[in-house]
Amino acid sequence: MTDQSTDSTKILHWQCAGCAVEYPPGPQPTGLCPICADERQYIPGGVQRWVSTEELVASGLQVEFTHLEPGLTALTCDGVGIGQSALLIETANGCLLFDVPGLITEAAVQYIRARGPLLGIVASHPHMYGVQQQYSQAFDDAPIYVASKDAEWVQYSSEAIRLWDEPFEVATGIWLHQVGGHFMGSTVAVWSAGAEGRGVLLAGDAIFPVADGNVTFLRSYPNRIPLSAAVVRRIAAQAGALEFDRLYNNFSGTVPSDAHQIVQYSAERYARWVSGEYDALT
Ligand SMILES: [Zn+2]
């Protein structure tokens, strides 16, 4: 226990120790984290644990920054949450945070501030909410865009949250689209200036790079729960209407080029398998 957590007069910012998603400041939450208790996730060790942001910071954990390509940086934090890789996109007018680290540090705030105002915060889906309110508060209550279909999963709300449904340009040259699948509101972003102007798809884990250079689509990654052929074809049709050549997910996965075509090929491979077309091979 740290000094912060033993001082009963201090307001702590609570997070689920499993997924790192934040809860309202105040008394330690009780019960289970609904995000981890859901069938798409799991409660590590079967025991719900909570941690405060203050404890995480005091333990010396840091947000690491990895340059991916001009204007795009990955923010990771080993030992916090489920190992997600958040992405910071720079535009001429400021930055967008797509997916959110499970930790905020003064160094992370300074890094982002040096790249212009934070125009908005977007999680691809609820596993990626991280400490989005704390990032918003550190940047003048920057708007947090939440897919309305997933609003029930937000554990710490505020007036910074903007619910949305229809595709829109969240920052100059960056469009958000809900493709669903993994979560009903699973969101991807098209960054048109990325990949030397050929376009980048920030896919969260709606569309997930795999070992052979293709991609997959799952309701649950840790529990390997599939989606139906119809849903995967729907996602592919939506992605097919977007312009991009490179894809990044939220776990440091990438399809460096030809991603548009690879998504179509992979979706068809997947749909044929889950619809029984190849059952004779099993
Ligand atoms: Zn959790």
Side-chain angles (χ1 to χ4, degrees), residues 55-191:
E55 277 182 271
L56 293 175
V57 169
S59 72
L61 288 163
Q62 295 292 335
V63 178
E64 305 288 339
F65 311 97
T66 305
H67 178 76
L68 298 176
E69 64 172 78
L72 187 66
T73 304
L75 281 64
T76 54
C77 186
D78 284 346
V80 178
I82 56 178
Q84 67 253 42
S85 178
L87 296 167
L88 185 71
I89 312 127
E90 296 168 44
T91 76
N93 306 321
C95 300
L96 182 78
L97 185 59
F98 188 81
D99 288 332
V100 188
L103 180 70
I104 185 168
T105 63
E106 190 51 42
V109 171
Q110 287 178 11
Y111 185 96
I112 296 169
R113 189 165 283 143
R115 282 152 183 81
L118 186 60
L119 303 172
I121 299 167
V122 183
S124 60
H125 67 289
H127 297 150
M128 298 293 113
Y129 287 161
V131 290
Q132 60 186 5
Q133 288 289 354
Q134 293 189 64
Y135 274 95
S136 170
Q137 290 160 15
F139 291 93
D140 304 317
D141 298 322
I144 302 168
Y145 298 100
V146 172
S148 62
K149 288 174 183 157
D150 292 339
E152 65 183 285
W153 296 100
V154 173
Q155 306 300 319
Y156 177 13
S157 195
S158 81
E159 291 183 358
I161 288 186
R162 313 269 197 279
L163 299 181
W164 67 282
D165 286 300
E166 297 301 317
F168 74 103
E169 190 173 23
V170 64
T172 303
I174 306 173
W175 280 76
L176 299 183
H177 299 264
Q178 291 178 30
V179 297
H182 179 51
F183 271 80
M184 288 183 72
S186 276
T187 293
V188 299
V190 178
W191 173 41

Side-chain angles (χ1 to χ4, degrees), residues 10-32:
K10 188 172 172 66
I11 298 293
L12 297 177
H13 290 79
W14 290 103
Q15 298 175 235
C16 169
C19 64
V21 168
E22 64 189 350
Y23 282 71
Q28 181 174 306
T30 57
L32 300 178

Side-chain angles (χ1 to χ4, degrees), residues 16-21 23 33-37 41-42 48 50:
C16 169
C19 64
V21 168
Y23 282 71
C33 166
I35 292 172
C36 286
Q41 205 54 30
Y42 59 98
Q48 177 68 49
W50 306 97

Side-chain angles (χ1 to χ4, degrees), residues 38-41 127 153 181-184 205 217-222 224-227 270:
D38 178 66
E39 72 172 2
R40 280 163 285 204
Q41 205 54 30
H127 297 150
W153 296 100
H182 179 51
F183 271 80
M184 288 183 72
D205 53 16
F217 317 80
L218 289 173
R219 172 167 172 79
S220 168
Y221 289 87
R224 308 293 196 272
I225 305 174
L227 294 164
Y270 187 110

Side-chain angles (χ1 to χ4, degrees), residues 221-281:
Y221 289 87
N223 303 326
R224 308 293 196 272
I225 305 174
L227 294 164
S228 73
V231 167
V232 169
R233 285 182 168 132
R234 185 195 75 204
I235 295 169
Q238 283 185 268
L242 308 176
E243 285 188 33
F244 63 93
D245 185 57
R246 183 175 294 156
L247 180 152
Y248 295 94
N249 78 344
N250 57 336
F251 284 92
S252 306
T254 184
V255 178
S257 60
D258 299 321
H260 191 275
Q261 177 267 327
I262 285 170
V263 169
Q264 299 304 312
Y265 165 78
S266 303
E268 197 54 28
R269 174 172 78 168
Y270 187 110
R272 289 179 177 206
W273 272 103
V274 297
S275 52
E277 198 166 315
Y278 301 132
D279 283 1
L281 300 175

